Amino acid sequence: MHIAILTFEGYNELDSLIALGVLNRVKTDDWRVTLATPGPRVTSMNGVVIEQMSTLEEACAADAVVVGSGVATREVTEDPAIMKVLRGLDPSRQLIAAQCSGALVLARLGLLDGIPACTDLITKPWVVAAGVEVLDQPFYAKDNIATAGGCLAAHYLAAWIIARLEGDGAAEAALRYVAPVGEKEDYVERAWRNIASYLPAPAPARV
């Protein structure tokens, strides 16, 4: 199982690395989480340099993709080479999640047609201009597409992906691990309250 986090030049560390940390709480042998970059390395909005773990092409073949956010997302959507590759993203065969300005990438790819989205307040006007309704809430999902707004909503996306791929128990365990000591029950309950209604109903028990 490969989960790729698209991480571009000027990326927001909280958006990519919180998701990376929560997703890596799953410790099964076939579970792999990578930062997918357009080149050998990218530098964050605050100067943090990371090395490429997977390519954008590999991300398009992953089981799940998180489109990270950053200060140069509009430039990303105007880069023909990057967008040509990202047209390989396909919600019919993979989970696709977008954090903050990552929603603009999905909008420009046509993946949010008829689907409302969550995003950060700075990106909101650009997503609206792209013809997408923006919701005043931290998380929303429809079928295999999810969006989150606000850096500290990154764990909602990660938990949604874990729940979809590994089950609710694995998602709750991952959230509980990263939650602050003394606040774990409240933290997990709040997170679950935001994502539970967007998860498929459990299959009925066999008799």
Side-chain angles (χ1 to χ4, degrees):
M1 200 72 70
H2 179 201
I3 301 91
I5 302 170
L6 303 188
T7 305
F8 302 103
E9 194 68 25
Y11 73 93
N12 184 315
E13 304 93 339
L14 294 176
D15 293 344
S16 288
L17 300 183
I18 288 176
L20 180 76
V22 177
L23 287 164
N24 268 314
R25 297 317 310 161
V26 176
K27 298 300 183 183
T28 57
D29 291 340
D30 66 342
W31 187 267
R32 182 169 69 105
V33 185
T34 65
L35 298 175
T37 62
R41 61 187 55 83
V42 291
T43 303
S44 78
M45 59 193 291
N46 294 307
V48 179
V49 179
I50 58 170
E51 302 285 336
Q52 183 180 68
M53 298 172 67
S54 64
T55 66
L56 299 185
E57 289 82 1
E58 289 172 314
C60 289
D63 300 282
V65 177
V66 177
V67 184
S69 184
V71 295
T73 303
R74 282 192 296 175
E75 288 82 350
V76 169
T77 64
E78 293 165 2
D79 186 315
I82 290 177
M83 295 300 282
K84 181 179 180 180
V85 174
L86 296 186
R87 288 189 183 94
L89 294 174
D90 184 355
S92 72
R93 58 175 175 77
Q94 58 189 170
L95 301 179
I96 299 176
Q99 176 69 35
C100 290
S101 64
L104 181 62
V105 176
L106 297 191
R108 294 282 176 84
L109 290 171
L111 295 178
L112 294 179
D113 290 351
I115 301 176
C118 301
T119 190
D120 63 277
L121 298 180
I122 293 174
T123 305
K124 178 179 177 179
W126 308 329
V127 176
V128 170
V132 176
E133 177 189 0
V134 173
L135 303 172
D136 184 24
Q137 61 191 60
F139 179 86
Y140 179 83
K142 180 176 174 58
D143 300 325
N144 286 347
I145 294 178
T147 53
C151 300
L152 295 183
H155 65 294
Y156 295 159
L157 289 182
W160 177 78
I161 289 172
I162 295 172
R164 291 291 307 272
L165 297 179
E166 290 289 316
D168 294 359
E172 287 196 29
L175 288 170
R176 190 173 302 279
Y177 181 90
V178 302
V181 171
E183 299 179 355
K184 290 188 181 292
E185 294 302 325
D186 291 343
Y187 192 92
V188 172
E189 180 182 350
R190 184 188 312 111
W192 208 248
R193 188 166 62 241
N194 279 290
I195 68 174
S197 62
Y198 301 110
L199 295 171
R206 291 190 174 189
V207 294

